[in-house]
Short mmCIF file of all heavy atoms in Angstrom, two decimals:
data_model
loop_
_atom_site.label_atom_id
_atom_site.label_comp_id
_atom_site.label_asym_id
_atom_site.label_seq_id
_atom_site.Cartn_x
_atom_site.Cartn_y
_atom_site.Cartn_z
N GLN A 69 -14.15 160.56 53.01
CA GLN A 69 -13.48 159.97 51.86
C GLN A 69 -12.36 160.89 51.43
O GLN A 69 -12.38 162.08 51.72
CB GLN A 69 -14.45 159.73 50.70
CG GLN A 69 -15.08 161.00 50.16
CD GLN A 69 -16.11 160.71 49.08
OE1 GLN A 69 -16.32 159.58 48.68
NE2 GLN A 69 -16.77 161.75 48.61
N GLY A 70 -11.37 160.32 50.78
CA GLY A 70 -10.25 161.13 50.34
C GLY A 70 -9.09 160.25 49.96
O GLY A 70 -9.27 159.11 49.52
N THR A 71 -7.90 160.78 50.15
CA THR A 71 -6.69 160.04 49.78
C THR A 71 -5.76 160.00 50.99
O THR A 71 -5.93 160.73 51.96
CB THR A 71 -5.95 160.73 48.61
OG1 THR A 71 -5.58 162.06 49.00
CG2 THR A 71 -6.82 160.78 47.37
N TYR A 72 -4.77 159.09 50.89
CA TYR A 72 -3.74 159.05 51.92
C TYR A 72 -2.39 158.86 51.26
O TYR A 72 -2.28 158.40 50.14
CB TYR A 72 -4.02 157.94 52.95
CG TYR A 72 -3.64 156.55 52.52
CD1 TYR A 72 -2.42 156.00 52.89
CD2 TYR A 72 -4.50 155.77 51.75
CE1 TYR A 72 -2.07 154.71 52.50
CE2 TYR A 72 -4.17 154.49 51.36
CZ TYR A 72 -2.95 153.96 51.75
OH TYR A 72 -2.61 152.70 51.36
N ARG A 73 -1.38 159.27 52.00
CA ARG A 73 0.00 159.15 51.54
C ARG A 73 0.81 158.47 52.63
O ARG A 73 0.87 158.96 53.77
CB ARG A 73 0.54 160.55 51.26
CG ARG A 73 1.96 160.62 50.78
CD ARG A 73 2.33 162.04 50.33
NE ARG A 73 1.71 163.12 51.08
CZ ARG A 73 2.28 163.76 52.10
NH1 ARG A 73 3.48 163.44 52.52
NH2 ARG A 73 1.64 164.74 52.69
N PRO A 74 1.42 157.31 52.33
CA PRO A 74 2.23 156.62 53.34
C PRO A 74 3.42 157.48 53.78
O PRO A 74 4.02 158.17 52.97
CB PRO A 74 2.72 155.36 52.62
CG PRO A 74 1.77 155.17 51.49
CD PRO A 74 1.34 156.54 51.08
N LEU A 75 3.74 157.43 55.07
CA LEU A 75 4.86 158.18 55.62
C LEU A 75 5.86 157.31 56.36
O LEU A 75 6.88 157.82 56.84
CB LEU A 75 4.35 159.25 56.61
CG LEU A 75 3.42 160.32 56.05
CD1 LEU A 75 2.92 161.21 57.18
CD2 LEU A 75 4.10 161.14 54.97
N SER A 76 5.59 156.01 56.49
CA SER A 76 6.46 155.14 57.28
C SER A 76 7.86 155.08 56.71
O SER A 76 8.06 155.09 55.50
CB SER A 76 5.87 153.73 57.34
OG SER A 76 4.63 153.73 58.00
N HIS A 77 8.82 155.00 57.62
CA HIS A 77 10.23 154.91 57.23
C HIS A 77 10.96 154.06 58.26
O HIS A 77 10.49 153.88 59.39
CB HIS A 77 10.85 156.30 57.13
CG HIS A 77 10.74 157.09 58.39
ND1 HIS A 77 9.63 157.80 58.72
CD2 HIS A 77 11.60 157.23 59.43
CE1 HIS A 77 9.80 158.37 59.90
NE2 HIS A 77 10.99 158.04 60.36
N ASP A 78 12.12 153.56 57.88
CA ASP A 78 12.92 152.77 58.82
C ASP A 78 13.78 153.70 59.67
O ASP A 78 13.72 154.93 59.53
CB ASP A 78 13.74 151.70 58.09
CG ASP A 78 14.80 152.28 57.16
OD1 ASP A 78 15.18 153.47 57.30
OD2 ASP A 78 15.26 151.55 56.27
N ARG A 79 14.58 153.13 60.55
CA ARG A 79 15.35 153.96 61.48
C ARG A 79 16.42 154.80 60.81
O ARG A 79 17.00 155.70 61.42
CB ARG A 79 15.95 153.10 62.58
CG ARG A 79 16.92 152.07 62.11
CD ARG A 79 17.43 151.25 63.28
NE ARG A 79 18.25 150.17 62.79
CZ ARG A 79 18.47 149.07 63.42
NH1 ARG A 79 17.92 148.88 64.60
NH2 ARG A 79 19.24 148.14 62.91
N TRP A 80 16.73 154.52 59.54
CA TRP A 80 17.69 155.32 58.78
C TRP A 80 17.01 156.36 57.90
O TRP A 80 17.65 157.07 57.15
CB TRP A 80 18.58 154.41 57.92
CG TRP A 80 19.37 153.46 58.78
CD1 TRP A 80 20.51 153.74 59.49
CD2 TRP A 80 19.05 152.11 59.03
NE1 TRP A 80 20.91 152.63 60.18
CE2 TRP A 80 20.03 151.60 59.91
CE3 TRP A 80 18.04 151.25 58.60
CZ2 TRP A 80 20.03 150.29 60.36
CZ3 TRP A 80 18.04 149.94 59.07
CH2 TRP A 80 19.02 149.48 59.94
N GLY A 81 15.66 156.41 57.97
CA GLY A 81 14.91 157.39 57.21
C GLY A 81 14.47 156.95 55.83
O GLY A 81 13.86 157.72 55.10
N ALA A 82 14.75 155.69 55.46
CA ALA A 82 14.33 155.18 54.14
C ALA A 82 12.85 154.81 54.18
O ALA A 82 12.37 154.23 55.17
CB ALA A 82 15.17 153.96 53.76
N PRO A 83 12.11 155.14 53.13
CA PRO A 83 10.69 154.79 53.08
C PRO A 83 10.46 153.29 53.19
O PRO A 83 11.24 152.49 52.69
CB PRO A 83 10.23 155.29 51.72
CG PRO A 83 11.27 156.24 51.26
CD PRO A 83 12.55 155.83 51.92
N VAL A 84 9.38 152.92 53.87
CA VAL A 84 8.97 151.52 54.01
C VAL A 84 7.64 151.38 53.29
O VAL A 84 6.72 152.19 53.51
CB VAL A 84 8.82 151.12 55.49
CG1 VAL A 84 8.25 149.73 55.64
CG2 VAL A 84 10.16 151.25 56.21
N PRO A 85 7.49 150.37 52.41
CA PRO A 85 6.20 150.17 51.74
C PRO A 85 5.07 150.04 52.77
O PRO A 85 5.25 149.45 53.85
CB PRO A 85 6.39 148.87 50.97
CG PRO A 85 7.87 148.75 50.77
CD PRO A 85 8.48 149.37 52.00
N PHE A 86 3.91 150.60 52.44
CA PHE A 86 2.81 150.66 53.40
C PHE A 86 2.40 149.27 53.88
O PHE A 86 2.18 149.08 55.08
CB PHE A 86 1.62 151.41 52.80
CG PHE A 86 0.65 151.87 53.84
CD1 PHE A 86 0.99 152.86 54.74
CD2 PHE A 86 -0.60 151.31 53.93
CE1 PHE A 86 0.11 153.29 55.72
CE2 PHE A 86 -1.50 151.73 54.90
CZ PHE A 86 -1.14 152.72 55.80
N GLU A 87 2.28 148.32 52.97
CA GLU A 87 1.90 146.97 53.37
C GLU A 87 2.91 146.41 54.38
O GLU A 87 2.53 145.75 55.34
CB GLU A 87 1.80 146.06 52.15
CG GLU A 87 1.51 144.63 52.54
CD GLU A 87 0.24 144.08 51.94
OE1 GLU A 87 -0.64 144.84 51.52
OE2 GLU A 87 0.16 142.87 51.91
#
Side-chain angles (χ1 to χ4, degrees):
Q69 62 184 356
T71 60
Y72 79 97
R73 180 172 33 97
L75 299 175
S76 296
H77 57 276
D78 65 19
R79 63 182 174 204
W80 299 282
V84 173
F86 197 68
E87 175 121 341

